[in-house]
Amino acid sequence: MNDRAQRSLTDWLPTTKKEVELRGWDELDVILFSGDAYVDHPSFGAAVIGRILEAQGLRVAIVPQPNWRDDLRDFKKLGRPRLFFGVSAGCMDSMVNKYTANKRLRSEDAYTPDGRHDLRPEYPSIVYTNILKRLFPDVPVVLGGIEASLRRLTHYDYWEDRVRPSILVDAQADLLIYGMGEKPIIDLCQRLQEGKELPHDLPQTAWMTRQTDFVPQAEDVCLFSHEECLADKKKQAQNFRHIEEESNKYAAARICQATGDRMVVVNAPYPPMTQGELDRSFDLPYTRLPHPKYKGKRIPAYEMIKFSVNLHRGCFGGCAFCTISAHQGKFIVSRSPESVLREVKAITALPDFKGYLSDLGGPSANMYAMHGKDLSLCRRCKRPSWIHPAVCPNLNNDHRPLLALYRAVDALPGIKKSFIGSGVRYDLLLHKTGDKEVDRATEEYTRELIVRHVSGRLKVAPEHTSDRVLYLMRKPPFEQFYRFKRIFDRLNQEQGLRQQLIPYFISSHPGCTEADMAELAAITRQLDFHLEQVQDFTPTPMTVATETWYTGFHPYTLQPVFSAKTQREKLAQRMFFFWYKPEERKAIIAALKRIGRSDLIKRIYP
């Protein structure tokens, strides 16, 4: 008998009128609409917010993937909530989730039963919100999730190839919660429970008002208006620097931006969560299973994470193409070892668990428990990365807490092996702090990682071989990859292991030329890498790389930067990944001659 069969339907948050009645409720306080299937697991945002609200004593239901094309019965079936509707597009931006960098439909939707493509619209944040406001005009709608979070101000949309205003302009939501939503949703509910109106002073929220009603504050960061950004790409680039810097401050300013006759206001975020607050979120009574309505169906994203454990939030890498710091922030908030061990024990009780954890990780595998040595310096810092262009001397780069956690997990009954599936920052492993104990612990962690926690293949992300492109990516020089590979190969040889290093690379990133990709082909040929984990750069909202790609200017220097934009230019770069395929050889040789790099032909095809 599987675990789902042993459980009661009331172990999940209700999704239908019948399930609400099973709980004996005659009214709901909050109804959440999600673009994802409902998986009751701490990796799925709707489940987290639902369980947070439940823990506040509220009666909450989730409507996953409502049908927006029929008579809208999914939006009506649970009636009107007492407090508000919550809307999220899901765990990913819907357009990133739906389309490739070539704007083709992806092979499957990972957050949908059986990977189907037809169960969520484009821009669910807008579609769901506008339907709810049409049906229930007097009920507040609160928008959240990564799609809304990263589109909270004027942004470039790659799939429509246009600059769009704040998502609040197109979605008729009353309030937008950005970032990780536990703290703002709790405070919001407390205020509404007290009978107060929807607040406009709540941290980590965005809202919109008429310009004539807007009252500026002295500390506000006022951006160029949406219309000015449409007329001048350089102003859009300048805006982004302010947005990113405020997103990465411990104590940020309020941001405002005029759009037509309206003003979009983004309140400063909360300080980072405490360890206790994060533990409470992960310790909620999740079933860790998809809702029974999906019996017999495969949800690809769930299959990938069902035996994995997230150790921390936040990432201080600040990679130019990544949205993690824009959504989760650069300050690391780590779970306590006790909370992690409780979750691992829950996983070992699952009936199909065979003793192997697929990942003990996070946004980056090895940032657990890392923070500034002098927090007063961190409170004044606005740099987007703690490790680019060099590792911050104030960073506590101690791997001992993570090493101790790995060993505690591996000592639990029922655990045969724990693997590290998240990407490893080898620049942190190579960094010498000058503290002998810390540096010795880093070497010990590196050894244990490679010898005990690799599932045959270790993922790392050099992203490119050109140091000039890597600098624009905010990644370390490629020489560090060579150093790490030598360590990896030596330990494998000493231990008699046959493990592979799997590097990730990106083509068409701002600053990258065909000649840079040709060099990448020659270097990976020399290393005998037949690349698998590659991607064409996809511009996504709220990254410095996207703003550089669209505007043609780097937001921090305002200097021009070349980007491959046309399909021909992008495909011309991408083909160099596949120098080892016979069908690409002729085109690669012709391209090398055309760009004046015939010298590389013998290096790639000796």
Side-chain angles (χ1 to χ4, degrees):
M1 180 180 288
N2 65 39
D3 192 54
R4 202 176 313 191
Q6 295 173 12
R7 289 182 173 274
S8 164
L9 194 56
T10 54
D11 289 335
W12 284 263
L13 297 171
T15 65
T16 65
K17 189 77 171 172
K18 177 187 173 185
E19 292 168 39
V20 172
E21 291 167 353
L22 280 174
R23 290 187 172 230
W25 296 345
D26 55 8
E27 183 184 37
L28 289 162
D29 297 311
V30 179
I31 303 173
L32 303 176
F33 286 81
S34 172
D36 292 341
Y38 172 32
V39 180
D40 193 40
H41 187 284
S43 293
F44 289 75
V48 173
I49 296 302
R51 292 296 186 184
I52 286 282
L53 293 170
E54 179 188 51
Q56 302 305 303
L58 298 174
R59 293 162 295 183
V60 58
I62 295 178
V63 181
Q65 301 189 312
N67 190 336
W68 74 100
R69 293 175 292 200
D70 60 2
D71 60 3
L72 306 181
R73 67 188 67 181
D74 284 346
F75 292 88
K76 305 171 188 173
K77 64 185 181 183
L78 299 180
R80 65 179 61 231
R82 188 173 63 89
L83 297 180
F84 62 87
F85 289 112
V87 170
S88 168
C91 290
M92 291 179 66
D93 183 281
S94 63
M95 304 306 281
V96 179
N97 186 57
K98 206 173 187 74
Y99 298 106
T100 68
N102 288 327
K103 301 185 180 180
R104 293 179 180 153
L105 197 64
R106 292 194 185 276
S107 57
E108 64 180 13
D109 182 332
Y111 294 88
T112 297
D114 294 332
R116 287 175 56 177
H117 290 106
D118 58 344
L119 295 185
R120 92 169 79 218
E122 295 179 354
Y123 310 106
S125 302
I126 298 170
V127 174
Y128 296 168
T129 299
N130 291 348
I131 289 172
L132 289 168
K133 291 304 286 187
R134 192 161 71 244
L135 295 174
F136 305 97
D138 57 328
V139 179
V141 175
V142 179
L143 192 54
I146 198 160
E147 179 169 277
S149 180
L150 300 184
R151 295 171 179 268
R152 57 189 183 260
L153 291 158
T154 292
H155 58 280
Y156 173 70
D157 186 289
Y158 173 66
W159 297 272
E160 291 194 343
D161 190 24
R162 71 182 178 101
V163 173
R164 295 184 64 136
S166 163
I167 199 167
L168 284 169
V169 172
D170 295 316
Q172 299 169 32
D174 299 277
L175 195 69
L176 184 156
I177 291 176
Y178 66 91
M180 308 304 279
E182 291 103 326
K183 293 180 81 166
I185 205 77
I186 289 172
D187 284 358
L188 172 64
C189 288
Q190 286 176 346
R191 295 205 197 183
L192 295 178
Q193 289 274 67
E194 293 166 1
K196 297 177 181 176
E197 292 186 356
L198 206 69
H200 281 168
D201 62 342
L202 191 68
Q204 212 165 307
T205 61
W207 48 283
M208 192 166 61
T209 187
R210 294 187 181 279
Q211 282 203 53
T212 51
D213 296 333
F214 175 66
V215 180
Q217 298 173 1
E219 300 81 14
D220 286 349
V221 172
C222 291
L223 305 177
F224 290 112
S225 71
H226 175 67
E227 288 72 23
E228 287 177 295
C229 292
L230 290 177
D232 186 343
K233 290 183 176 181
K234 190 173 279 191
K235 288 182 177 177
Q236 171 68 9
Q238 286 176 273
N239 271 3
F240 184 78
R241 176 173 183 171
H242 295 301
I243 295 168
E244 185 178 52
E245 286 182 342
E246 295 306 319
S247 297
N248 282 299
K249 281 183 181 176
Y250 193 94
R254 190 173 76 161
I255 297 175
C256 53
Q257 183 181 36
T259 303
D261 65 349
R262 315 282 278 180
M263 184 68 76
V264 175
V265 184
V266 179
N267 294 337
Y270 284 88
M273 294 176 81
T274 65
Q275 184 173 83
E277 289 169 334
L278 187 60
D279 282 355
R280 281 192 287 278
S281 180
F282 276 91
D283 291 347
L284 294 167
Y286 304 98
T287 64
R288 302 187 62 85
L289 296 165
H291 189 277
K293 67 163 67 182
Y294 307 119
K295 183 179 179 181
K297 295 181 179 177
R298 180 183 66 94
I299 300 174
Y302 169 68
E303 296 299 324
M304 188 169 70
I305 57 87
K306 65 191 292 189
F307 300 137
S308 70
V309 179
N310 191 350
L311 305 181
H312 73 269
R313 281 204 190 145
C315 179
F316 52 71
C319 298
F321 47 82
C322 182
T323 61
I324 290 172
S325 64
H327 188 68
Q328 294 191 15
K330 72 177 181 184
F331 294 100
I332 304 300
V333 183
S334 300
R335 297 169 65 186
S336 68
E338 294 77 18
S339 174
V340 172
L341 294 174
R342 281 194 293 272
E343 185 174 2
V344 174
K345 289 174 184 174
I347 292 174
T348 62
L350 294 173
D352 51 349
F353 181 66
K354 307 298 183 188
Y356 298 95
L357 292 174
S358 58
D359 187 24
L360 281 175
S364 285
N366 56 319
M367 290 185 183
Y368 178 80
M370 292 187 183
H371 51 78
K373 300 170 190 173
D374 181 348
L375 294 181
S376 67
L377 295 178
C378 295
R379 291 172 189 269
R380 300 198 300 271
C381 175
K382 63 181 181 179
R383 60 184 275 187
S385 172
W386 286 4
I387 49 181
H388 176 86
V391 176
C392 174
N394 190 44
L395 175 64
N396 171 16
N397 183 40
D398 193 346
H399 283 77
R400 281 175 291 188
L402 185 54
L403 194 54
L405 186 54
Y406 286 177
R407 290 168 178 171
V409 168
D410 287 350
L412 287 175
I415 297 296
K416 296 177 183 175
K417 206 168 182 67
S418 59
F419 298 115
I420 310 306
S422 303
V424 174
R425 290 298 305 226
Y426 54 77
D427 42 354
L428 288 176
L429 301 182
L430 298 171
H431 177 63
K432 298 297 183 186
T433 66
D435 183 316
K436 291 182 179 179
E437 289 189 9
V438 169
D439 291 346
R440 190 181 304 116
T442 302
E443 291 178 14
E444 188 178 357
Y445 171 85
T446 305
R447 180 181 184 85
E448 185 144 335
L449 167 74
I450 293 170
V451 173
R452 295 183 53 84
H453 297 282
V454 176
S455 175
R457 312 173 85 186
L458 179 64
K459 298 174 186 175
V460 292
E463 308 295 8
H464 213 286
T465 56
S466 161
D467 285 349
R468 181 178 49 77
V469 177
L470 287 167
Y471 190 86
L472 289 170
M473 291 178 161
R474 295 179 180 157
K475 297 289 286 187
F478 194 67
E479 180 270 336
Q480 292 196 23
F481 174 77
Y482 282 124
R483 288 169 56 196
F484 181 72
K485 185 178 183 300
R486 286 195 291 270
I487 295 169
F488 183 85
D489 291 343
R490 174 176 57 79
L491 287 171
N492 273 275
Q493 187 174 16
E494 287 176 5
Q495 299 294 319
L497 299 170
R498 300 184 65 183
Q499 299 177 148
Q500 287 180 287
L501 204 55
I502 306 297
Y504 282 65
F505 288 98
I506 296 177
S507 59
S508 300
H509 189 277
C512 180
T513 65
E514 275 188 82
D516 294 320
M517 292 303 296
E519 288 279 2
L520 184 149
I523 290 169
T524 54
R525 168 70 178 85
Q526 182 183 3
L527 291 167
D528 198 26
F529 280 134
H530 289 204
L531 300 181
E532 303 169 26
Q533 302 293 340
V534 299
Q535 67 179 81
D536 197 22
F537 171 68
T538 306
T540 56
M542 200 72 89
T543 69
V544 68
T546 295
E547 298 302 329
T548 305
W549 189 91
Y550 161 68
T551 65
F553 302 100
H554 194 284
Y556 283 75
T557 64
L558 297 182
Q559 294 300 307
V561 178
F562 165 79
S563 293
K565 290 193 174 182
T566 68
Q567 287 293 95
R568 187 199 66 77
E569 289 174 329
K570 290 165 80 69
L571 290 173
Q573 290 203 18
R574 183 178 172 81
M575 74 175 177
F576 282 103
F577 285 140
F578 307 109
W579 56 264
Y580 56 88
K581 293 185 176 181
E583 62 268 27
E584 298 289 0
R585 179 171 178 152
K586 185 176 179 181
I588 287 175
I589 290 174
L592 290 171
K593 291 177 179 177
R594 175 174 52 79
I595 64 175
R597 293 306 308 267
S598 298
D599 59 303
L600 294 177
I601 295 174
K602 285 188 177 180
R603 285 177 58 190
I604 299 172
Y605 301 111

